[in-house]
Structures are given as structure tokens and as C-alpha cells.
């Protein structure tokens, strides 16, 4: 009885002629995620992926790793059984004898139509043996134990528990994006959501060091380490933003427009860097109406600073939803720590909530926009983080 990890995917199965492309990327991502000594082979298996585990594989470690692989609907630790119904029954009965349960059901799926029994016949005959040999009772709704049998090609899998995966699409199947990342709750969740949609996410952080401490940058680095579990390799780009903020504050610009102008400069700098990194879109953690810079009018004014698409995966979510997701993916504890980021500097008491594009562009004529952008990009630091 060979111990295997049986992986199912859902959304990818709807991709038609492109399905092999998504399967190949998911297959490679699974191999990257698992410890090398935990498995011998990782094989495509008729709409599933079968990982043959070694005797020294740590089940908890494998579970922890596989939960971070985007594109997996569910997975199970299964036994690979002999392609023979009599042997199948004996092995299943032996495995179930060691478990404590009173009620059960058998759920068989027969993808291989050459197998002599159909799914219903397997359910009935194996179920009858469990009743007579183990003294258990059949219960189709909410049983203590669900005995699952899958017959795929010449492989028969037996397992009891099915665990939920990350879902979505495999990272690397949807192109590359540049995500603006702070150490707050929102932007890490937005970045993760884009990974879950198959994007490779380059992470861009603006800082105001030395006016702020390095704590914010360290928090961001810790967040990137957590996010890297989902894409196995991350690029963190850190851009100095203090001179831009000082220049805007010193210019003859209405105080209420500062935050909008900060964000417009961020978009322009991000667009420049995205071109260098071959990214197709920008990503932000904006949630409509959450703060002053995220009113609909201000979003329009900020977005007009760049011609690149700006993706906002959190636009319709509230803070509780975002924090719940941050907790699930492991960034909430870091984001909850006190920090200073560049957006909290030089913020007016009454920020403008209904800025216009014309007004923002008129204010920008009072500063050397191109020089400020070029200097910021030139000061960028690049760091690669892997797991």
C-alpha cells in the first residue's frame, strides 16, 4: 500500500485546449513547494496530480507546504491500492479497522470504465463488507467516516479525509504585475489575491527613511516572506519617497491635495518600474471609501497619472473582510504591529476627498516632476526573497 498525496483542481479543468499549459505550471509549482526528500515522483494522473511520498515524509510539513500552492481545489493523503477489487476490499478493511467510527458511507468514483464494477456496485459491495466484518452502520448523510475510492486509469486510490486547498490558478499562469505594498493590512491581501489569480507579483514599497524608522521596512520584509510561500520567489523593490514629499510640502500647493499628489507620484514611479520589470499592470490595496485617498473622485484623479491598468482586488471589500483574509494567509499579525509608513507623513488635517484631474495636474506644474521621478527610481533597492 503506497502512500500518496492526491491533488484535485477545479477551475483549471474548465480551460479547454489551454488546460495542459495550466497543468504544467501547477505541476512545477507543486514540486517547488514540497521538500525534496518528501516525495519520489509527481505525476499528472487523468485530471489529478499524484505525488508518491517517501517513508520519511512529514505529513504536517507536506500539508503546510501544499496549502500555499495556488490552483489546488483540494488534496488528500491517500493509499494507492492494487488494481483488484478483492485486494482493494481487504486493504480498505484493514485500514478502517484501526479507526474509531460508528457510521460510514462509501463514495466511489470510477473514471476507468474498464474496471469490472461500476461506482454504485463498489459502494454496495464494499459497504456490505464493512457492515458485516467491522460491525459499522451505513449513514449517507453526515456519517462519522466517508470511505472514498477513486479508480483512475490503472490506479485505485483510497482515502477518508479531503482537505481544502488554496484554489484559484497556479502562480505564473496569468502574467506579471507590480503591486504597491505597505505594511498595513490591505496591500498584502491585494497582492495575495493576485497570486491566487495566477499572477507573478513583484512587490514595490515606498519608504521615507530616515524621517521614519526602519521598522516599517522590516515589517514589509516580513510580510514579503509570508507572501513568498505562495509564489516561492519574490522580488522586493524599495523606493525612497521622502524628497518627493518634502518638495510637495514646500511648494505652493493646497495642503489638502498632498495625499492625492503623493499617490500620483507613486503611480508614475510604479509605471516606470513596471516597464523595467515587464509587468502588465499595477496593483493597489484600495477599498472604495475606506480612507480619503480612496473616494471615487480621488481614485479617478490618482489613476489618471498613469496609462497602465491599475487592478484593485479589494475595491468592494470592507475592513473586516480584509483582516479575516490577512489572518488566514498569515500577514495580519505583522500588519497589526505599530509602524510609520510614508503615507502617514505630512498628512493634512483635512485632506481633499473630491480632487479633480485638472486641479492635480495644475499643482504638479509647480514641481520638477520628471526629475523627482528619475531620482526616486535611481535610488531604488532590489532584494530577492526565496523559500
Amino acid at each position: 500500500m503506497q502512500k500518496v498525496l492526491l491533488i484535485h483542481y477545479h477551475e483549471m479543468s474548465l480551460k479547454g485546449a489551454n488546460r495542459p499549459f495550466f497543468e504544467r505550471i501547477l505541476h512545477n509549482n507543486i514540486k517547488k513547494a514540497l521538500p525534496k526528500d518528501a516525495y519520489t515522483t509527481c505525476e499528472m494522473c487523468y485530471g489529478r496530480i499524484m505525488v508518491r511520498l517517501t517513508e520519511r515524509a512529514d505529513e504536517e510539513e507536506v500539508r503546510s507546504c501544499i496549502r500555499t500552492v495556488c490552483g489546488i481545489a483540494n488534496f488528500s493523503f491517500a493509499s494507492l491500492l492494487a488494481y483488484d477489487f478483492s485486494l482493494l476490499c481487504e486493504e480498505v478493511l484493514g485500514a478502517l479497522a484501526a479507526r474509531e467510527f460508528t457510521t460510514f458511507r462509501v463514495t466511489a468514483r470510477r473514471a476507468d470504465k474498464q474496471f469490472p464494477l461500476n461506482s454504485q456496485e463498489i459502494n454496495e459491495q464494499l459497504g456490505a463488507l464493512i457492515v458485516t466484518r467491522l460491525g459499522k452502520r451505513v449513514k449517507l448523510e453526515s456519517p462519522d467516516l466517508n470511505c472514498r475510492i477513486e479508480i483512475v486509469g490503472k490506479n485505485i486510490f483510497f482515502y477518508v479525509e479531503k482537505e481544502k486547498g488554496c484554489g484559484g490558478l497556479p502562480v505564473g499562469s496569468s502574467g506579471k504585475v507590480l503591486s504597491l505594498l505597505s505594511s498595513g493590512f490591505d496591500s498584502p491581501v491585494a497582492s495575495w489575491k493576485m497570486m491566487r489569480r495566477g499572477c507573478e507579483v513583484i512587490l514595490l514599497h515606498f519608504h521615507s527613511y530616515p524621517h521614519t524608522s526602519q521598522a516599517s521596512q522590516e515589517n514589509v520584509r516580513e510580510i514579503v516572506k509570508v507572501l513568498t510561500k505562495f509564489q516561492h520567489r519574490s522580488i522586493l523593490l524599495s523606493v525612497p519617497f521622502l524628497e518627493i514629499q518634502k518638495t510637495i510640502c514646500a511648494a505652493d500647493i493646497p495642503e489638502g491635495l498632498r495625499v492625492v499628489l503623493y499617490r500620483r507620484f507613486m503611480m508614475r514611479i510604479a509605471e516606470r518600474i513596471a516597464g523595467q520589470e515587464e509587468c502588465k499592470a499595477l496593483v493597489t490595496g484600495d477599498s472604495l471609501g475606506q480612507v480619503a485617498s480612496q473616494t471615487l473622485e480621488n481614485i479617478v484623479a490618482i489613476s489618471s497619472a498613469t496609462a497602465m491598468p491599475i487592478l484593485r482586488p479589494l475595491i468592494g471589500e470592507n475592513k473586516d473582510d480584509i483582516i479575516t483574509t490577512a489572518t488566514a494567509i498569515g500577514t495580519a499579525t505583522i500588519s497589526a504591529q505599530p509602524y510609520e509608513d510614508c503615507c502617514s507623513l505630512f498628512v493634512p488635517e483635512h485632506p481633499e476627498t473630491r480632487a479633480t484631474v485638472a486641479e492635480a495636474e495644475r499643482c504638479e506644474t509647480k514641481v520638477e516632476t520628471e526629475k523627482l521621478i528619475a531620482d526616486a527610481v535611481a535610488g531604488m533597492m532590489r532584494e530577492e526573497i526565496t523559500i
Side-chain angles (χ1 to χ4, degrees):
M1 189 183 293
Q2 166 77 52
K3 185 178 180 182
V4 301
L5 183 68
L6 185 62
I7 295 169
H8 293 86
Y9 46 86
H10 174 252
E11 192 170 346
M12 286 165 42
S13 64
L14 307 176
K15 295 300 181 181
N18 292 323
R19 177 169 155 180
F21 166 76
F22 290 89
E23 288 178 332
R24 185 168 61 254
I25 293 174
L26 177 59
H27 178 258
N28 290 335
N29 288 352
I30 289 169
K31 292 197 293 184
K32 289 177 186 176
L34 292 173
K36 298 302 180 188
D37 63 350
Y39 69 99
T40 55
T41 63
C42 181
E43 310 163 30
M44 299 303 305
C45 187
Y46 300 92
R48 301 155 178 80
I49 294 177
M50 175 180 66
V51 181
R52 295 178 186 265
L53 299 174
T54 63
E55 290 185 1
R56 57 184 177 275
D58 185 308
E59 193 168 299
E60 280 304 314
E61 184 181 20
V62 170
R63 177 182 287 109
S64 176
C65 292
I66 214 68
R67 279 179 174 162
T68 64
V69 180
C70 300
I72 294 175
N74 59 73
F75 63 93
S76 302
F77 290 94
S79 297
L80 181 60
L81 306 181
Y83 191 77
D84 177 278
F85 185 67
S86 297
L87 293 176
L88 178 157
C89 290
E90 292 305 315
E91 291 182 338
V92 169
L93 288 167
L96 294 184
R99 288 177 171 268
E100 291 188 8
F101 65 100
T102 302
T103 61
F104 76 97
R105 66 169 290 166
V106 177
T107 304
R109 295 175 63 189
R110 186 190 67 156
D112 174 21
K113 304 307 180 187
Q114 294 181 352
F115 194 77
L117 301 177
N118 64 31
S119 298
Q120 185 58 30
E121 289 169 337
I122 295 170
N123 291 344
E124 292 171 354
Q125 294 186 32
L126 179 56
L129 286 172
I130 295 172
V131 170
T132 57
R133 299 265 293 270
L134 299 182
K136 307 302 181 181
R137 181 166 55 87
V138 174
K139 185 181 179 185
L140 298 182
E141 296 293 329
S142 303
D144 297 335
L145 181 145
N146 191 344
C147 176
R148 302 174 189 270
I149 305 293
E150 289 190 33
I151 303 176
V152 186
K154 297 304 178 185
N155 298 308
I156 299 182
F157 302 102
F158 157 63
Y159 59 97
V160 172
E161 295 171 352
K162 183 185 291 187
E163 302 185 41
K164 189 175 181 180
C166 193
L169 298 173
V171 171
S173 63
S174 299
K176 193 187 296 187
V177 296
L178 183 69
S179 183
L180 280 67
L181 183 71
S182 74
S183 53
F185 288 100
D186 302 347
S187 55
V189 173
S191 301
W192 173 79
K193 281 182 173 285
M194 296 311 302
M195 293 175 190
R196 193 166 176 258
R197 295 313 305 157
C199 288
E200 178 186 348
V201 180
I202 307 293
L203 299 155
L204 174 63
H205 176 62
F206 292 94
H207 66 84
S208 296
Y209 183 81
H211 204 286
T212 56
S213 70
Q214 289 188 321
S216 175
Q217 293 181 69
E218 290 303 319
N219 283 1
V220 165
R221 193 169 284 107
E222 291 303 310
I223 286 171
V224 173
K225 289 178 182 177
V226 174
L227 293 176
T228 302
K229 294 176 183 178
F230 297 93
Q231 63 176 4
H232 313 301
R233 172 183 174 271
S234 294
I235 300 298
L236 173 61
L237 306 173
S238 300
V239 173
F241 201 65
L242 181 58
E243 287 306 312
I244 291 175
Q245 291 175 289
K246 285 180 171 181
T247 301
I248 290 172
C249 289
D252 182 21
I253 292 172
E255 187 177 300
L257 282 173
R258 286 178 187 171
V259 175
V260 171
L261 294 189
Y262 295 165
R263 298 283 290 176
R264 283 173 62 87
F265 268 95
M266 288 179 180
M267 292 302 124
R268 287 197 181 99
I269 292 167
E271 179 181 34
R272 190 78 54 90
I273 294 170
Q276 297 173 359
E277 298 292 332
E278 300 181 336
C279 296
K280 302 299 183 186
L282 306 180
V283 179
T284 73
D286 293 341
S287 173
L288 188 61
Q290 185 168 248
V291 294
S293 64
Q294 295 170 15
T295 63
L296 189 56
E297 292 84 356
N298 283 0
I299 286 175
V300 171
I302 292 165
S303 300
S304 69
T306 175
M308 284 198 80
I310 302 175
L311 308 179
R312 296 179 170 90
L314 307 184
I315 197 68
E317 297 195 26
N318 62 38
K319 200 68 175 182
D320 288 343
D321 297 332
I322 295 166
I323 292 175
T324 297
T325 304
T327 301
I329 65 175
T331 59
T333 303
I334 306 168
S335 296
Q337 296 175 11
Y339 68 92
E340 299 174 289
D341 68 4
C342 65
C343 291
S344 63
L345 273 184
F346 313 119
V347 174
E349 188 175 348
H350 301 290
E352 177 62 63
T353 58
R354 298 180 184 277
T356 66
V357 175
E359 191 176 17
E361 289 176 343
R362 187 164 54 250
C363 290
E364 286 170 345
T365 63
K366 300 177 181 180
V367 298
E368 295 183 76
T369 302
E370 181 54 39
K371 182 178 185 306
L372 289 170
I373 292 170
D375 288 348
V377 173
M380 180 180 73
M381 299 294 291
R382 181 187 185 89
E383 182 178 355
E384 180 175 332
I385 296 174
T386 59
I387 59 168

